Amino acid sequence: MQILQTIKEIRQACATARATAAKPATLGLVPTMGALHEGHLSLIRAAKKQCNIVVATIFVNPTQFGPHEDFSRYPRTFASDCALLEAEGVDILFAPTVEDIYPTGTSRTFIEVPGISDRLDGLSRPGHFRGVATVVAKLFNIVSPDYAYFGQKDAAQVAVLRAMVQNLNFPVNLIVCPTVRDAEGLALSSRNQYLSPEERTQALALSRSLVTATTHATKGLHNAAQLKSAILQDLQSTPALKIDYVEIVDPTTLEPIVDLQTGALIAIAAWIGKTRLIDNALIASSMS
Ligand code: AMP
C-alpha cells in the first residue's frame, strides 16, 4: 500500500494506477477520518469487490467540526489504521495534513446544499455539512473516483452528498453500505471509544428503540407523529440519554413526513455524557 500525503503525489499515483491497472480501470474511493473499525472496513471490502484500484483517505477535517466540538480530541490511531488498510488490500492511502487540504488555514470556497444540509445533524451542528460537502468535493476533484463509498450510519450525510453529486454533476457513483453494528446492536463509531462501559450499555437504547420502531412500522403503525412519540417515550426510559433529535423524514430530502408508507428514515441523535451518538433505520415503502 502506498501512503501519500500531498495532493501532487496522490494525483500522480492515481494516474499511474489507472494506466497500469487491468482495463477497464475502476477506481473506488473510501473517505474516512481514521480510528478505523469494522464499519469502515465494510466500505473498503465493498470497494475491493467492485473496483480494481482502491484509495482510502484518512483526514480529520477541521471544517466539519464546530468550535466547541471534539476536533482536537478525536481519536487518531494512524499506525493501526495503516495495518488494517494494508490487510484489506487497499492500494493507496491518502493521508494529507490540514495544510495540504487547506493551505490558507481554512477553505476559501464552500459547498452548501440548502434545504438538506441544515436538517438533522446540520441543524444541531451548524456548518457541519458545509464542511463535509466541501471536503468530499475536494477529495472527488483530487482523486477522480468512479465510485465512492459511504455508510448508511451517517444517513443525513448520504442525503447531502447524493444531492451534491446530482446538483453539481460529479461523474461519480455513490455507493451506500449498511450500518455495521456490534453483537448487541450498537452502531460502530470511532466516537464509541469515548464511552465508559456504563455509557456503552446506556447507548444500546438507541438501536433498541430503532428496532422496536421498525417492528411497529412494519406491523402497520404508519403515523409518523405517533411513532415518534413512542420512540421518545422508549428513549426516556434511559435517563442518562440526552436526546438531541428524533426525526422521521424522507431519506432523500430529509423533510419530515407524516405517513411512513412511502418509505422513511427514522433518525436519532443523543448525548451520553460528553459523547454525541447517532443512529437510524430505513423503513422501506409499503406502497407498491
Ligand atoms: P468517519 O470516519 O466517521 O467519517 O466515517 C467514514 C465513513 O465510514 C462514512 O461514510 C461513514 O458513514 C462510514 N461508517 C462509519 N461508521 C459506520 C458503520 N458503523 N457502518 C457502516 N459505515 C460506517
Side-chain angles (χ1 to χ4, degrees):
M1 180 174 76
Q2 284 181 275
I3 303 176
L4 305 172
Q5 186 202 308
T6 69
I7 293 170
K8 193 174 167 197
E9 286 167 336
I10 180 78
R11 282 212 161 112
Q12 183 59 55
C14 290
T16 305
R18 275 191 188 280
T20 53
K23 301 292 175 285
T26 44
L27 192 154
L29 172 69
V30 182
T32 82
M33 298 205 298
L36 301 181
H37 51 64
E38 281 293 319
H40 298 111
L41 300 184
S42 72
L43 308 186
I44 300 282
R45 288 171 199 146
K48 286 287 294 179
K49 267 201 188 139
Q50 205 165 17
C51 304
N52 53 13
I53 308 162
V54 174
V55 178
T57 68
I58 295 180
F59 180 61
V60 185
N61 173 35
T63 65
Q64 69 189 67
F65 287 79
H68 306 295
E69 292 186 349
D70 57 344
F71 173 71
S72 54
R73 70 184 187 110
Y74 195 84
R76 288 161 171 88
T77 56
F78 190 68
S80 57
D81 289 350
C82 288
L84 289 170
L85 295 174
E86 176 98 56
E88 294 296 333
V90 166
D91 299 292
I92 303 171
L93 168 60
F94 178 44
T97 63
V98 172
E99 292 68 35
D100 289 307
I101 296 295
Y102 303 116
T104 60
T106 186
S107 193
R108 301 269 182 188
T109 302
F110 284 102
I111 290 187
E112 309 246 16
V113 187
I116 301 183
S117 59
D118 43 14
R119 293 184 186 276
L120 302 186
D121 306 288
L123 192 61
S124 309
R125 305 178 65 189
H128 171 64
F129 286 130
R130 186 177 91 143
V132 170
T134 302
V135 81
V136 171
K138 282 168 78 71
L139 292 174
F140 285 175
N141 284 333
I142 292 165
V143 174
S144 302
D146 302 294
Y147 296 90
Y149 297 81
F150 296 91
Q152 176 59 32
K153 154 88 176 10
D154 296 277
Q157 171 171 283
V158 166
V160 168
L161 295 178
R162 271 200 200 292
M164 178 188 87
V165 163
Q166 191 177 0
N167 296 338
L168 295 181
N169 310 99
F170 278 98
V172 56
N173 292 296
L174 292 199
I175 308 291
V176 181
C177 301
T179 301
V180 177
R181 300 174 179 282
D182 73 9
E184 291 175 287
L186 180 66
L188 299 189
S189 162
S190 305
R191 290 189 169 96
N192 292 352
Q193 295 187 24
Y194 298 149
L195 301 172
S196 68
E198 192 191 354
E199 288 174 332
R200 204 198 143 278
T201 305
Q202 291 158 345
L204 294 173
L206 267 70
S207 52
R208 227 174 21 231
S209 74
L210 287 167
V211 170
T212 309
T214 304
T215 309
H216 285 322
T218 48
K219 283 190 176 161
L221 177 53
H222 294 146
N223 180 296
Q226 282 175 10
L227 192 59
K228 181 171 163 174
S229 25
I231 298 169
L232 284 167
Q233 209 176 347
D234 206 356
L235 291 173
Q236 277 152 7
S237 64
T238 304
L241 281 188
K242 217 177 96 210
I243 299 164
D244 178 353
Y245 65 72
V246 172
E247 297 294 348
I248 302 181
V249 298
D250 178 287
T252 305
T253 63
L254 304 186
E255 281 175 27
I257 56 167
V258 290
D259 186 314
L260 278 85
Q261 285 185 86
T262 50
L265 170 73
I266 308 176
I268 300 177
W271 288 89
I272 300 161
K274 289 190 171 142
T275 307
R276 184 175 179 280
L277 296 180
I278 57 172
D279 201 350
N280 69 82
L282 268 180
I283 308 292
S285 163
S286 58
M287 293 165 51
S288 49

